[in-house]
Each structure stands twice: as C-alpha cells, then as structure tokens.
Amino acid sequence: IFDKFGVAYPKDGLTWDQTIELARKLTRVDGEVQYKGLSASWTGQGVRDFASGFALPYIDPKTMKATVNTDGWKKALTILKEINDIPGNLGGDVRQLFHKDKILAMMVSANPRIGELEELFKKGEGVNYDFAAPPYFPELPGKTQETDTRFIAVSGTSKNRDLAFQVVQEIVSDANAVEFTRRAFPPVLKNADLKKQFGAELETLKGKHIEAFFKSTPIVSPIRTIYVNNADRAVQTEFTKVLKGEEDINTALRNADEAINKIVEAGEK
C-alpha cells in the first residue's frame, strides 16, 4: 500500500501525531477499493488497548471510584477519535483487513499474530509488510502499550504444589524460552542472546526489521480491579456514541464515570 501510493515507510520513533499524518495519506479510494491507513486496535475503535499506552485506570483501587473523567482519558479518546474520523478509515477487524484483504496500511498491536502471517506465507498468500517501533505519546517517550501476556500460577488449594511448581519451572526454562522466542513469542527472560533468535524459525520474518520489537518498553499497567471488564464495556459504549456523533467526549467520559460507579455499587464483576 505504501508503494502503491508512493508514501515513505514509517520509521522507528514516530509520535502518534506523525503516524496519523501518514494514515491520512494512505486512507483513500483506488478504483473500487477503500484503503485504510491505520488501526490502533483490533477493531479500529477499541478503547482498552489504545488507552493502555497511557496506563489509564478505570477505577481507583483505594477509593473504588471511577477515574475515567480525567484529562488523560480525554486525550486518549481525542487521539483515537482523530484516527477514526479520517474519512474511510473507521472500523473493521484488523486480521481481516491486514492479513487477508490487504487493504490496511498500518496496524498497531501488542500481538500482530505472526503465526497467521506465517501460514499465509506458506500458502503463497503472504502480505508484503515490515515492522516499525510503535508510535509513542510525547509525554511518554519510548513507552508503548502494555504487552499481551499470559500467566502461570500454582493454586494454593493444589495437593501437588511442589510438582506443579516443577512444571512451571520447566515451562519457563532456558530451553523452552529459546523455542518460544524462535517462534516469535517475545522472551520473558532477561537474556540478550534470546532476542537475537527472535522469529528465527519463521520464513515470513526473513529480512524483516524485527529489531523494532525491542525498541520500546511496554508501559506498566495500573492496578486493575475485578470490575475491569464491565468498566471497559462502559467506556467503549460511550465512545461508540462519540464516533456516531451522538455525544461529545466530555459527555461520554462523565456518563462512563457514572456507569462505572454504578457497576461497583452493584457488585457487577
């Protein structure tokens, strides 16, 4: 898409404003095809992933009061609205648009589903793509969205805790870390040599700028409460109204704040 429209490729170290300007150049109709310049989340309008780049909490864990009617949330939603307001850029499933339809120029994601790109490559249906470090907010240079993580825990009620812990130790062993890293799962161990093997087993990554994966530091997410999923839905519901022109951002944040406080009061996990 960049080649088609004669637009320079994005480089590491772009701000969100610079990335949005690129998106404007790439969101256009060619023939009967609507190309989209940028998706900042899986659906193009998802609030949770995007806001994580600001480390924005939904609820104060000490007071258990909503914390979305704030300047931080307002700025995050304003930028996300700007992305979606680019004519022709709104919405759509990222995996469909980027991986299959090949009409999305840029996606920002903590999990680009490289395994699917590898499958398409092996079928001869691969995407002509590369990587760049994710955009950053000027007040948070070098920081990016929280990572898409998986956790392993041993239950306190387990009758075989020692054995279970041995299993965990095996899963996070150096040998397995190498295997996962070579399959393009970013390593959790602090081992510089592991990074050199990132994606080594995947044909689709040959010659790609995989250094971009390690140019930014995932932001540390705020403490989450048991109401996080319902709180997220409340904010997303209000932001969807903003995109439809039914509310302004200030109203949406006030309404979301009220909705979240009601969720907590009602104990809706």
Side-chain angles (χ1 to χ4, degrees):
I1 297 173
F2 281 86
D3 292 343
K4 184 180 184 67
F5 297 125
V7 178
Y9 302 156
K11 298 180 180 179
D12 296 334
L14 294 182
T15 65
W16 275 104
D17 286 342
Q18 292 170 322
T19 305
I20 291 170
E21 284 307 306
L22 265 182
R24 295 187 195 282
K25 297 176 182 179
L26 295 159
T27 306
R28 58 173 80 180
V29 176
D30 184 73
E32 297 182 355
V33 180
Q34 171 68 66
Y35 290 91
K36 297 175 182 289
L38 172 66
S39 177
S41 69
W42 278 113
T43 62
Q45 53 189 300
V47 169
R48 186 171 185 169
D49 289 343
F50 188 73
S52 77
F54 274 105
L56 297 170
Y58 293 99
I59 298 168
D60 184 329
K62 294 181 179 178
T63 65
M64 294 305 291
K65 296 294 183 182
T67 56
V68 298
N69 191 16
T70 60
D71 290 342
W73 272 101
K74 182 177 180 179
K75 181 168 185 177
L77 296 194
T78 298
I79 296 173
L80 188 55
K81 182 177 185 298
E82 186 178 353
I83 294 170
N84 283 284
D85 278 350
I86 298 172
N89 193 55
L90 179 65
D93 179 83
V94 167
R95 291 158 70 185
Q96 181 67 37
L97 298 175
F98 189 91
H99 293 60
K100 298 178 182 178
D101 296 341
K102 304 176 186 176
I103 59 172
L104 175 63
M106 296 181 286
M107 68 171 178
V108 182
S109 173
N111 183 359
R113 306 295 174 99
I114 297 175
E116 292 182 23
L117 291 171
E118 176 77 358
E119 290 178 9
L120 291 171
F121 180 86
K122 290 179 176 179
K123 293 178 182 178
E125 302 171 5
V127 183
N128 180 15
Y129 72 99
D130 209 335
F131 300 101
Y136 70 90
F137 303 105
E139 58 268 50
L140 294 168
K143 298 290 185 180
T144 187
Q145 298 172 353
E146 60 190 42
T147 54
D148 182 16
T149 54
R150 299 292 181 269
F151 300 91
I152 305 171
V154 177
S155 171
T157 60
S158 171
K159 296 180 180 179
N160 299 289
R161 281 180 286 180
D162 290 342
L163 184 58
F165 191 74
Q166 289 180 46
V167 173
V168 174
Q169 286 182 303
E170 175 61 25
I171 292 172
V172 298
S173 67
D174 287 350
N176 275 321
V178 169
E179 182 178 345
F180 282 124
T181 301
R182 290 178 63 82
R183 289 164 49 197
F185 292 95
V188 297
L189 302 181
K190 291 184 178 181
N191 184 333
D193 291 335
L194 277 177
K195 294 180 181 179
K196 298 176 184 178
Q197 301 191 55
F198 182 78
E201 290 187 8
L202 304 186
E203 290 296 320
T204 187
L205 292 183
K206 301 297 184 186
K208 297 289 189 288
H209 180 52
I210 59 175
E211 294 84 1
F213 278 82
F214 307 104
K215 290 286 181 79
S216 302
T217 303
I219 203 157
V220 178
S221 60
I223 295 174
R224 290 190 173 136
T225 70
I226 57 176
Y227 305 105
V228 62
N229 290 328
N230 278 336
D232 175 58
R233 281 190 281 270
V235 176
Q236 185 65 60
T237 295
E238 296 302 322
F239 184 62
T240 299
K241 294 177 183 178
V242 171
L243 294 180
K244 292 180 178 179
E246 298 172 0
E247 288 181 354
D248 58 62
I249 289 178
N250 289 330
T251 301
L253 291 175
R254 286 197 303 271
N255 289 345
D257 231 42
E258 292 175 6
I260 292 170
N261 284 330
K262 289 179 181 178
I263 287 168
V264 175
E265 290 170 6
E268 298 174 4
K269 302 178 184 180

